[in-house]
Amino acid sequence: MKLSRFVFLFVLISFSALAQKDYKLWLQYNKITNPAIASEYKSNLKNIVSLGNSETLKISIKELETGILSMLDQKPQIKTEIEGENNLIIGSKPSLNSDLQKTLQSDFDKINSEGFIIKLVVLKNKKQLIITGKNDVAVLYGVFSFLRLMQTNTSLKNLSISDSPKTNIRILNHWDNLDRTVERGYAGFSLWNWQKLPDFIDQRYVDYARANASIGINGTVLTNVNANALILTPQYLEKVEALANVFRPYGIKVYLTARFSAPIEIGNLKTADPKDPEVMNWWKNKAVEIYKRIPDFGGFLVKANSEGQPGPQNYGRDHVDGANMLADAVAPFGGVIMWRAFVYSEHDANDRAKQAYAEFQLYDGKFKENVIVQVKNGAIDFQPREPFHPLFGAMPKTPLMMEFQITQEYLGFSTHLVFLPKLFQEVLESDTYRKGKGSTVAKVVDGSLYNNKITGIAGVANIGNDLNWTGHPFAQANWYGFGRLAWNPYLDSEVIADEWLRSTFSNDENFIKPVKKMMIDSREAVVNYMTPLGLHHIMDTGHHYGPGPWVSNLSRPEWNPVYYHKADKNGIGFDRSKSGTNATAQYAIEVEKLFDNLETCPEKDLLWFHHVSWDYKLKNGQTLWNGLALKYQEGVNQVVTMQNIWNKTEKYIDAERFNEVQMLLEIQNKEAKWWRDACLLYFQQYSGKELPAGVEKPTQTLDYFKSLKFPFAPGNG
Ligand code: GCW
């Protein structure tokens, strides 16, 4: 072999070997180095008894074999009968013998249809380990959960776990277009290769389903909410069917976005009026056609009469008319309609934050049983921090599902390390007070506050065809954490970070401890260097990359950052209190009072609810101007701390991911400074004050920052 060819091959092989690490996400299955733990597992994992034959069970067994071989260097024997002791028994309830069913009865009573049991049991005097649930997908969840125990080096002693998801619909929303661009996507192009489907099944589809199943995600909306009707044509449905076939054994249902005007665009009708019999029929027939191909099709996600999307209002009808018409079409097949409440109108420029509530709250109780209203976590749009959306808790007779954004549209794209479960947890823990103290958003979302029949959590996916799926290695943690919180909205983000780090990198405490802290603090860092003290939506417009607090020339008032910060010589902030737009009145009285009063309003939300003078005294004694400037500086300092932490991790992890994260943190550092300098220079024009001691001098002029243009920033169509 010629040397050059040899070198080429070597580079290729080592490249793919290295790239694999990133690709494997949180399913690294690293060798267990703790001898005591390893030997516990080894003795229980010599034999696997598989009680069944379904695709899903085969996947479960294969996953166990892969994990055990990789973590323990042990190849388990696969059997179909229980003989001897210390077997790992895998199978769903119907496949268990009566002895086992009896032994586990009280555990089965505790779980729902998707829940699982992992337990050490004694059967006829013999110790066995069992993973079971009421059906095979539940068993698969149990298997992944067991592998997580292994990956996190958790002892098997006294093992007895029964765990069920607290929500029904745990779903990713892909804002993927048919040309494979991804709206607000920062990790390459769409995974769905429509041109090669249905005949070419990319291994990536399988790996995608596997990763999702491993964290309990059970649904995926394949297409952008800014929808294209073509996805509903036979040509595309055939491709969707192929994907649904891949995902099914992993327990993942496929959903599509429905463009409201589809009956006109692909059905040759004159109207899409939801009360028109022909339109109603068109959707009914469309549902029949889809369910013939995909019997477990999940249903439709709809963005209607929002940001230019067509909807029932085009015909003088309302959201209820539109949603219920579609609900009727999919109801015979058990489908659901996820109707989005993300609406705001250019005709109501008073306060965008009030519009979804104003438009939807009065529909409470009017939607059909299989409609669930999908509400973003906050009333504006996925900002680094927003108070919880006032609709949560305010529609007792309507199931509401949470929409989080996993992709970092407003949080530095995939170049900034921001651990989002911290943000998600803050929202889920917020108290709506709608049924007294303790009426948290989590309780609205999991249906326990109002006994809703369907419940759900959606996350706008951050996944693309980048080798590492999410662009930033740490953005994988946001996908992971979303899935974990959709399963259990009461999980602590620190627990999530811990699990993820151990499964993704290493169990070494010297690595875990500092890096976990880095992750936990990363959310506050981004708030500090972008939008401290309740500022919001001051990103440059369109692409939302970098600061643009000065933008004021867009046609719709609420598209301009100046609309949100309202800085003038008197002060800064959006007055949403009684003296302003009175948005606070959309909350329960306890919350309203808290936010309305300048004294009690949490400082983290100060400028969200109040216009405050530059000399206003903050709780720490600083003036608002000084405090704001110091927050921006603190954000930058936090990024430096993150870099220092990361720089010490080299010896614990592979060089590739170490280097990647190191480079990305350097970008984050530069951009944090950019944010600080641009915003402070801009606001300084109004405050007319010097930067306080401790805040670094800007290195460029305001004009320079204003001159920066990014015509090809990703994710912007
Ligand atoms: O966050 C905004 C985005 C739009 C998005 C819209 C929505 C899909 O800037 O790109 O459109 O929200 O959620 O519908």
Side-chain angles (χ1 to χ4, degrees):
M1 193 186 291
K2 272 208 208 123
L3 187 64
S4 61
R5 251 183 90 192
F6 176 78
V7 170
F8 172 75
L9 259 181
F10 175 78
V11 169
L12 198 77
I13 291 166
S14 44
F15 175 73
S16 57
L18 284 174
Q20 253 184 337
K21 276 221 177 273
D22 255 10
Y23 186 81
K24 280 160 73 177
L25 298 162
W26 48 86
L27 301 167
Q28 300 285 327
Y29 298 151
N30 290 331
K31 194 135 294 135
I32 299 180
T33 51
N34 177 326
I37 297 284
S39 92
E40 265 184 47
Y41 279 97
K42 274 190 173 164
S43 57
N44 278 287
L45 297 173
K46 293 207 175 83
N47 303 310
I48 300 177
V49 183
S50 164
L51 302 175
N53 231 328
S54 70
E55 270 310 296
T56 304
L57 214 64
K58 283 185 197 149
I59 289 167
S60 306
I61 300 295
K62 191 175 151 224
E63 195 67 40
L64 281 166
E65 284 183 282
T66 311
I68 294 167
L69 186 63
S70 171
M71 285 186 270
L72 297 174
D73 262 336
Q74 178 167 301
K75 199 169 165 21
Q77 299 288 311
I78 310 298
K79 305 194 165 162
T80 52
E81 307 271 331
I82 307 172
E83 290 165 48
E85 60 180 346
N86 293 338
N87 294 293
L88 171 60
I89 304 168
I90 306 294
S92 63
K93 188 174 181 198
S95 69
L96 305 184
N97 63 33
S98 55
D99 259 7
L100 262 173
Q101 292 207 13
K102 228 186 281 151
T103 313
L104 294 171
Q105 193 46 55
S106 64
D107 301 278
F108 276 116
D109 291 343
K110 280 188 241 155
I111 57 171
N112 63 29
S113 65
E114 292 180 289
F116 59 81
I117 301 161
I118 309 176
K119 196 170 183 177
L120 283 165
V121 292
V122 180
L123 271 183
K124 298 197 178 119
N125 287 325
K126 295 195 169 117
K127 281 199 336 212
Q128 312 286 5
L129 176 57
I130 178 147
I131 303 179
T132 186
K134 293 181 183 166
N135 55 58
D136 286 347
V137 169
V139 174
L140 180 62
Y141 292 150
V143 163
F144 276 118
S145 180
F146 179 74
L147 287 162
R148 182 179 307 129
L149 296 177
M150 290 182 76
Q151 289 213 84
T152 53
N153 292 2
T154 309
S155 165
L156 275 174
K157 290 210 178 81
N158 307 321
L159 186 68
S160 176
I161 296 175
S162 47
D163 191 11
S164 298
K166 294 194 193 302
T167 58
N168 313 128
I169 305 173
R170 307 179 296 280
I171 194 168
L172 289 179
N173 288 183
H174 287 269
W175 287 355
D176 292 17
N177 300 313
L178 299 184
D179 63 3
R180 295 193 76 180
T181 56
V182 179
E183 184 156 347
R184 311 311 177 184
Y186 314 105
F189 286 93
S190 170
L191 291 182
W192 326 131
N193 192 332
W194 298 111
Q195 191 257 325
K196 284 178 158 173
L197 280 163
D199 299 314
F200 185 84
I201 300 298
D202 193 327
Q203 176 61 29
R204 208 119 198 212
Y205 306 149
V206 179
D207 297 341
Y208 165 85
R210 170 180 175 245
N212 280 320
S214 78
I215 46 177
I217 288 173
N218 67 357
T220 177
V221 184
L222 300 177
T223 46
N224 192 349
V225 287
N226 290 331
N228 189 320
L230 283 181
I231 193 69
L232 301 175
T233 59
Q235 187 194 359
Y236 276 93
L237 287 175
E238 191 188 10
K239 300 168 193 282
V240 174
E241 180 186 349
L243 288 174
N245 291 341
V246 175
F247 300 162
R248 186 168 300 111
Y250 292 88
I252 293 163
K253 280 189 187 179
V254 158
Y255 299 67
L256 293 173
T257 45
R259 183 159 167 90
F260 207 77
S261 51
I264 304 173
E265 287 158 25
I266 58 169
N268 283 321
L269 299 189
K270 295 244 149 24
T271 175
D273 180 350
K275 293 256 163 116
D276 181 297
E278 274 195 273
V279 171
M280 285 149 81
N281 252 330
W282 188 87
W283 283 109
K284 283 195 171 137
N285 291 333
K286 189 46 77 183
V288 171
E289 181 190 341
I290 295 175
Y291 280 94
K292 213 182 266 165
R293 291 179 179 279
I294 310 167
D296 56 352
F297 179 68
F300 294 122
L301 168 65
V302 190
K303 170 176 179 178
N305 294 120
S306 160
E307 298 186 329
Q309 292 299 301
Q313 292 171 355
N314 300 31
Y315 307 95
R317 316 292 184 190
D318 61 25
H319 289 289
V320 177
D321 300 325
N324 286 352
M325 182 269 298
L326 289 174
D328 281 340
V330 296
F333 313 97
V336 300
I337 301 300
M338 298 172 290
W339 193 269
R340 294 176 91 225
F342 177 68
V343 293
Y344 59 97
S345 141
E346 58 200 303
H347 308 299
D348 181 0
N350 168 261
D351 185 356
R352 171 173 165 186
K354 283 164 63 180
Q355 297 185 27
Y357 181 100
E359 213 169 316
F360 272 78
Q361 201 282 328
L362 73 222
Y363 297 141
D364 188 27
K366 301 218 158 74
F367 291 101
K368 296 261 161 125
E369 269 206 340
N370 58 332
V371 175
I372 183 162
V373 176
Q374 183 167 311
V375 183
K376 287 188 182 182
N377 60 271
I380 297 289
D381 198 7
F382 300 137
Q383 296 304 296
R385 169 167 282 130
E386 294 194 36
F388 71 92
H389 200 300
L391 274 175
F392 288 111
M395 295 180 74
K397 290 184 275 208
T398 310
L400 300 186
M401 68 190 279
M402 172 63 76
E403 179 174 327
F404 284 130
Q405 192 179 46
I406 314 172
T407 191
Q408 292 169 233
E409 175 181 357
Y410 296 98
L411 291 98
F413 295 6
S414 60
T415 26
H416 292 210
L417 191 163
V418 186
F419 182 56
L420 294 176
K422 189 82 183 145
L423 183 166
F424 302 159
Q425 183 182 359
E426 178 177 284
V427 177
L428 290 163
E429 281 176 347
S430 301
D431 199 339
T432 71
Y433 278 89
R434 287 291 177 184
K435 274 179 85 180
K437 193 171 163 47
S439 308
T440 59
V441 171
K443 287 188 187 167
V444 176
V445 169
D446 78 359
S448 59
L449 195 67
Y450 297 124
N451 286 318
N452 304 112
K453 285 214 194 82
I454 33 173
T455 57
I457 302 196
V460 179
N462 62 347
I463 306 165
N465 68 353
D466 272 9
L467 275 181
N468 70 1
W469 301 87
T470 54
H472 197 304
F474 274 77
Q476 297 177 353
N478 295 333
W479 176 10
Y480 178 89
F482 165 77
R484 300 288 289 134
L485 281 167
W487 180 278
N488 179 1
Y490 303 92
L491 269 185
D492 194 279
S493 51
E494 244 182 82
V495 172
I496 297 173
D498 193 270
E499 287 176 6
W500 180 79
L501 280 172
R502 290 175 194 277
S503 310
T504 307
F505 286 109
S506 157
N507 271 286
D508 194 318
E509 295 301 333
N510 298 319
F511 172 80
I512 296 289
K513 230 180 129 208
V515 180
K516 185 160 63 182
K517 179 153 172 30
M518 171 183 90
M519 289 171 79
I520 294 299
D521 293 346
S522 64
R523 191 296 185 102
E524 208 56 39
V526 75
V527 170
N528 288 337
Y529 64 71
M530 283 187 186
T531 53
L533 298 173
L535 284 175
H536 51 285
H537 221 305
I538 56 175
M539 295 75 195
D540 202 355
T541 44
H543 48 62
H544 300 149
Y545 174 58
W550 45 81
V551 177
S552 63
N553 60 351
L554 299 172
S555 59
R556 286 176 61 162
E558 77 286 7
W559 283 350
N560 292 300
V562 294
Y563 168 95
Y564 296 97
H565 63 68
K566 300 200 184 317
D568 55 25
K569 64 177 188 339
N570 299 321
I572 180 171
F574 198 128
D575 186 359
R576 296 193 165 101
S577 73
K578 272 192 202 53
S579 55
T581 66
N582 204 21
T584 48
Q586 292 182 334
Y587 290 99
I589 184 74
E590 293 85 344
V591 183
E592 176 186 341
K593 278 195 192 145
L594 183 84
F595 289 151
D596 211 73
N597 182 343
L598 196 54
E599 299 299 305
T600 57
C601 182
E603 267 181 4
K604 62 182 169 51
D605 300 317
L606 189 64
L607 306 179
W608 186 283
F609 289 113
H610 299 276
H611 190 79
V612 181
S613 90
W614 296 110
D615 291 322
Y616 174 79
K617 275 266 169 337
L618 294 170
K619 301 217 164 73
N620 63 5
Q622 298 281 358
T623 63
L624 178 72
W625 166 251
N626 284 354
L628 186 75
L630 288 163
K631 278 278 176 204
Y632 272 107
Q633 181 65 45
E634 188 184 338
V636 171
N637 297 347
Q638 284 169 304
V639 176
V640 174
T641 303
M642 286 160 70
Q643 291 181 287
N644 291 336
I645 291 176
W646 189 254
N647 287 339
K648 294 194 191 106
T649 63
E650 193 166 6
K651 57 177 176 289
Y652 303 107
I653 64 168
D654 53 290
E656 192 196 26
R657 288 185 297 177
F658 173 78
N659 289 329
E660 277 176 4
V661 174
Q662 194 177 46
M663 289 186 284
L664 287 162
L665 282 169
E666 192 50 40
I667 298 178
Q668 188 167 0
N669 174 308
K670 275 194 204 157
E671 295 190 356
K673 288 179 180 157
W674 170 27
W675 267 95
R676 176 198 62 197
D677 294 350
C679 291
L680 289 177
L681 283 172
Y682 171 76
F683 292 134
Q684 194 172 34
Q685 304 176 104
Y686 299 101
S687 80
K689 295 173 193 298
E690 291 299 310
L691 290 176
V695 178
E696 284 161 17
K697 294 261 164 313
T699 50
Q700 299 282 353
T701 63
L702 180 57
D703 283 338
Y704 166 79
F705 292 120
K706 283 182 165 177
S707 75
L708 299 175
K709 294 283 173 286
F710 306 95
F712 303 112
N716 197 31

